[in-house]
Amino acid sequence: DEKWGLTKNYGFAEVIGDDTNALAKYLVDDCILEHLVTQTPEEANAKDLITEGTYPNGIVQPGMIWYAHHGSLVLQWESKVKSQGFFTATRPNPPDIWEQVLKRKHALDKGEAIMPVHGD
């Protein structure tokens, strides 16, 4: 997403979303992004910002997963919603995230990494 500065310069490939939230449910159930937050438009204080019925299954707050090395998890990040509101979710700084991804990748290359990195 260009608003976040997520470009190919930072290893960005695409933003994936679906109106059923099936992907978000899978990521939570499979413990890939187990703290991913889904809110109703009312909980997100977005009811006046969106057309009624736009998010029938809720609004999933942002999350990211980075993979490398034939599917090895490099980094995962879930928004930490500190207060209710549509625009209150924390956002990562893409250069900082990319630096963490590169460090993890280099550790994997050298055989020095065992556990995945959990981003804040």
Side-chain angles (χ1 to χ4, degrees):
D1 187 274
E2 293 296 326
K3 291 180 190 174
W4 284 20
L6 297 175
T7 64
K8 293 192 186 296
N9 295 337
Y10 298 112
F12 167 75
E14 63 185 303
V15 172
I16 300 173
D18 71 287
D19 59 5
T20 66
N21 293 346
L23 178 60
K25 290 173 189 170
Y26 166 77
L27 294 171
V28 170
D29 291 346
D30 208 39
C31 297
I32 296 170
L33 292 176
E34 61 186 307
H35 302 290
L36 197 61
V37 175
T38 302
Q39 297 175 308
T40 65
E42 292 81 9
E43 291 170 332
N45 289 327
K47 191 170 181 172
D48 296 334
L49 302 172
I50 61 174
T51 306
E52 188 173 334
T54 302
Y55 294 96
N57 297 300
I59 298 170
V60 178
Q61 295 297 331
M64 289 191 274
I65 309 165
W66 300 74
Y67 286 96
H69 293 273
H70 308 288
S72 294
L73 181 62
V74 175
L75 186 134
Q76 63 197 83
W77 172 87
E78 298 116 318
S79 173
K80 307 295 187 265
V81 180
K82 295 183 185 205
S83 62
Q84 292 186 347
F86 190 62
F87 297 107
T88 59
T90 58
R91 303 282 196 263
N93 180 9
D96 293 343
I97 292 287
W98 188 237
E99 183 178 331
Q100 290 181 41
V101 169
L102 290 178
K103 284 180 182 177
R104 173 82 171 142
K105 180 190 176 303
H106 294 313
L108 285 166
D109 288 343
K110 294 177 183 178
E112 299 172 354
I114 298 170
M115 297 301 291
V117 173
H118 296 271
D120 289 329

